[in-house]
Amino acid sequence: EAGVAQSPRYKIIEKRQSVAFWCNPISGHATLYWYQQILGQGPKLLIQFQNNGVVDDSQLPKDRFSAERLKGVDSTLKIQPAKLEDSAVYLCASSRTGGQYSPLHFGNGTRLTVT
Amino acid sequence: GIQVEQSPPDLILQEGANSTLRCNFSDSVNNLQWFHQNPWGQLINLFYIPSGTKQNGRLSATTVATERYSLLYISSSQTTDSGVYFCAGPAGGSYIPTFGRGTSLIVHP
């Protein structure tokens, strides 16, 4: 089965610019996650979708970050305007159900550098 | 929220050595997973292990949910085992995986 697809692979922008990331989960996976991984740390959850509904976005900085998952399949994460501290790898993951017995599968990530 | 502590933070091994990585949780564990992040950043799911012991080749994992910890064993380590190992568990009553800070492993030839 095809894995989780993410694009772009790398992105360099200046602060105050906007950027968008795209994710296509594994076919049939109902749950989609966006994680932020800062260098030297573990991934931190930004938002979780179950189909096209938001399950948890408590750690998403809503003044500048937004995410959507139209039609319950692929998803986009947007940052507007970007800050220097947003430099990180943005990881998308999916799982079959989001409940028990549902391992996470990660994409390759998008490495964002804000200058 | 749940606290996830991993130890040791860093580990350097000679090829062929064995090692044990530990993950402690501040709350009950019911959905624990181990991941390997290779030097290119790809996160690979190694084990889904809410309880008990599982083995996959040279790797095995044990979770003791009642005591809130999990162990990852690497035997006869190889240079390709290098990278960062993460454990992830649920936050409170949800199934959303919360990650530890990881154990950075370097295996020298």
Side-chain angles (χ1 to χ4, degrees):
Chain A
E1 85 189 336
V4 176
Q6 287 189 249
S7 66
R9 191 80 171 90
Y10 304 93
K11 191 72 177 179
I12 301 174
I13 61 173
E14 295 181 351
K15 60 183 179 184
R16 291 187 290 274
Q17 286 186 324
S18 62
V19 64
F21 313 126
W22 175 82
C23 173
N24 191 20
I26 293 172
S27 178
H29 280 198
T31 307
L32 186 148
Y33 310 79
W34 282 103
Y35 281 86
Q36 179 193 57
Q37 187 177 21
I38 293 172
L39 188 65
Q41 299 182 18
K44 183 187 84 170
L45 180 73
L46 293 175
I47 189 167
Q48 179 193 4
F49 292 96
Q50 182 76 14
N51 296 310
N52 61 351
V54 175
V55 174
D56 188 302
D57 63 356
S58 57
Q59 297 190 87
L60 187 73
K62 298 181 187 63
D63 57 335
R64 297 184 300 106
F65 286 65
S66 64
E68 60 182 10
R69 191 184 184 197
L70 300 176
K71 301 180 182 178
V73 182
D74 56 353
S75 175
T76 56
L77 176 69
K78 296 179 182 178
I79 307 175
Q80 182 180 11
K83 294 185 176 182
L84 295 176
E85 59 260 36
D86 298 331
S87 294
V89 176
Y90 291 84
L91 295 160
C92 179
S94 70
S95 64
R96 190 167 297 279
T97 67
Q100 279 191 312
Y101 314 117
S102 193
L104 289 183
H105 299 269
F106 280 88
N108 288 326
T110 296
R111 184 176 297 276
L112 174 67
T113 302
V114 182
T115 62
Chain B
I2 193 170
Q3 302 298 314
V4 182
E5 293 184 3
Q6 291 190 242
S7 60
D10 301 283
L11 188 57
I12 300 174
L13 299 175
Q14 208 63 33
E15 200 167 30
N18 302 328
S19 62
T20 301
L21 282 57
R22 186 178 179 104
C23 181
N24 289 332
F25 288 82
S26 61
D27 204 342
S28 59
V29 177
N30 58 23
N31 199 28
L32 191 137
Q33 302 177 56
W34 281 97
F35 296 85
H36 175 226
Q37 189 165 41
N38 64 27
W40 296 270
Q42 176 68 39
L43 270 163
I44 305 296
N45 196 308
L46 297 175
F47 293 101
Y48 175 89
I49 184 164
S51 64
T53 298
K54 288 186 178 179
Q55 181 150 9
N56 185 1
R58 296 181 295 102
L59 302 181
S60 64
T62 295
T63 294
V64 184
T66 54
E67 298 187 20
R68 304 177 182 178
Y69 74 89
S70 184
L71 302 173
L72 178 70
Y73 306 96
I74 305 174
S75 64
S76 304
S77 58
Q78 301 177 358
T79 56
T80 52
D81 295 332
S82 296
V84 183
Y85 290 81
F86 292 101
C87 61
S94 79
Y95 296 112
I96 299 171
T98 298
F99 283 75
R101 295 182 68 93
T103 292
S104 177
L105 173 65
I106 298 174
V107 181
H108 288 302

